[in-house]
Amino acid sequence: MADGRGVRDLIGLLLVVNFVVFLIVLGLAGWSLDKYINGEQNHPHLGGNPSTTFMLIFALVAGVAGFCSLLSGLMHLRAWRGDSLAAAASLAILSWAFTALAFGLVCKEIILGGRRGRRLQTLEAFIVISFLSQLLYLILLLGGVYSSRYGPGYRSRSYNQDGNETPKTSTSFVI
């Protein structure tokens, strides 16, 4: 497992899973918010309570931030270098934070109760799934920051302007 190869494969799998989950979250949240804006709260597949509107807005924001994190993650997967790791990890932290906010609003919506339609319950389930899968993705990325065993390592190599690794040379200065 040289240079985090097993972790690299697992990150690729998580990126695919996160892509599908965020696509579903964006679709369901967009449809539900459209129904809410049109005043169709009594739609048989929707329902909800006072926290539903906030949950839908944060689900959309989390979905968009998740897609940005996926793009950065794909670039990191292709480059697999320390500088791309830093970019992917920072966007993954932001994406997970927005997903955690949406997850908190899902918990609040479940606690408040009331009639929630099938699509709203499905959206809640996919927000929970995205919260957990994004957390696992973040843990794997941050493992590469702390150890080159789990990824490229943050400062394991130095690169020149062309993106190629610079050989290490020892120079001694005599004064």
Side-chain angles (χ1 to χ4, degrees):
M1 203 183 305
D3 207 19
R5 181 66 195 167
V7 174
R8 189 175 185 180
D9 294 338
L10 190 55
I11 285 176
L13 178 67
L14 273 172
L15 286 173
V16 171
V17 169
N18 283 343
F19 175 77
V20 171
V21 169
F22 281 126
L23 188 67
I24 293 171
V25 165
L26 280 174
L28 286 173
W31 177 85
S32 300
L33 191 61
D34 181 52
K35 293 295 180 188
Y36 259 85
I37 290 172
N38 291 340
E40 300 176 30
Q41 288 90 349
N42 295 327
H43 192 277
H45 297 295
L46 195 56
N49 54 40
S51 69
T52 302
T53 307
F54 299 108
M55 190 266 304
L56 293 175
I57 292 170
F58 276 98
L60 281 173
V61 170
V64 170
F67 267 112
C68 292
S69 172
L70 289 174
L71 291 175
S72 178
L74 287 172
M75 287 184 204
H76 169 59
L77 198 63
R78 184 175 177 274
W80 202 249
R81 296 184 358 194
D83 48 352
S84 65
L85 172 64
S90 63
L91 275 176
I93 289 170
L94 286 174
S95 172
W96 181 76
F98 286 129
T99 307
L101 286 172
F103 175 75
L105 287 166
V106 164
C107 293
K108 184 64 175 178
E109 184 168 342
I110 292 171
I111 289 170
L112 288 178
R115 186 187 71 78
R116 295 183 331 271
R118 288 185 315 197
R119 290 189 183 156
L120 203 54
Q121 290 175 349
T122 305
L123 176 63
E124 292 167 355
F126 274 99
I127 289 173
V128 171
I129 292 169
S130 70
F131 173 74
L132 295 174
S133 66
Q134 189 72 12
L135 179 63
L136 183 58
Y137 170 67
L138 182 62
I139 289 170
L140 289 174
L141 276 179
L142 292 179
V145 170
Y146 292 111
S147 173
S148 61
R149 179 178 175 196
Y150 303 110
Y154 186 62
R155 294 185 184 192
S156 60
R157 297 180 183 98
S158 59
Y159 297 94
N160 60 16
Q161 291 177 347
D162 299 331
N164 300 324
E165 188 174 347
T166 5
K168 294 185 178 184
T169 58
S170 68
T171 58
S172 59
F173 294 101
V174 178
I175 299 177

